[in-house]
Amino acid sequence: MDNIILIGMPGSGKSSVGVVLAKALGYDFLDVDLLIQSREGALLQEILNTRGVEPFLDCEREAIRSVDCRRTVIAPGGSCVCRADAMEHLRALGTVVYLRLSLPEVEGRIHNLATRGIALQPGQTIADVYDYRTPLYERYAHITVDADGQTLSETVAAVQAALTE
């Protein structure tokens, strides 16, 4: 196991699980959202508000494609699956783990939709995004872990178990 990449909807726990998983494995942790903000000099929501969704996805792709690391848990944004070349790069870096949540669970976890930096087209709902992205998460994942109704520690344990199977 070289790198571990956590994908999934906003609210699925990619960053939270990633930090704890990295500590448990003795790995580094990389949050691609923070990388984007550093590279662009702006918050995710500011990029979305000023440039729009497609330019944001392009920024995300370039940030992902710049990643070159070893023994790292990587948490890209939920929209990483919207650019095939970004996902192929992530798959080449290591094992891609999809943290799967049901739509009601996602909706229950996201309370700051307008400020969270989620790539939503005008008029799109979180349900629309869920319907669009779910088949992409399933396509790109090497491993799927169900995270519905789990605590952080339960999800981390489930990911660790899935990685050793």
Side-chain angles (χ1 to χ4, degrees), residues 43-117:
L43 298 174
L44 299 180
Q45 192 63 54
E46 291 171 349
I47 299 167
L48 286 162
N49 291 346
T50 60
R51 301 184 205 170
V53 172
E54 292 303 317
F56 170 83
L57 295 175
D58 293 339
C59 289
E60 181 177 49
R61 171 198 316 151
E62 294 312 310
I64 289 169
R65 289 172 51 91
S66 76
V67 172
D68 182 19
C69 55
R70 304 210 50 179
R71 296 181 49 84
T72 301
V73 177
I74 303 167
S79 54
C80 65
V81 294
C82 297
R83 294 290 190 260
D85 56 340
M87 283 310 303
E88 291 308 321
H89 181 70
L90 289 173
R91 285 176 58 87
L93 287 175
T95 303
V96 177
V97 179
Y98 169 31
L99 301 179
R100 180 169 49 198
L101 287 180
S102 65
L103 178 58
E105 185 92 3
V106 171
E107 291 173 332
R109 291 184 183 195
I110 298 177
H111 305 290
N112 52 346
L113 200 55
T115 59
R116 188 170 170 134

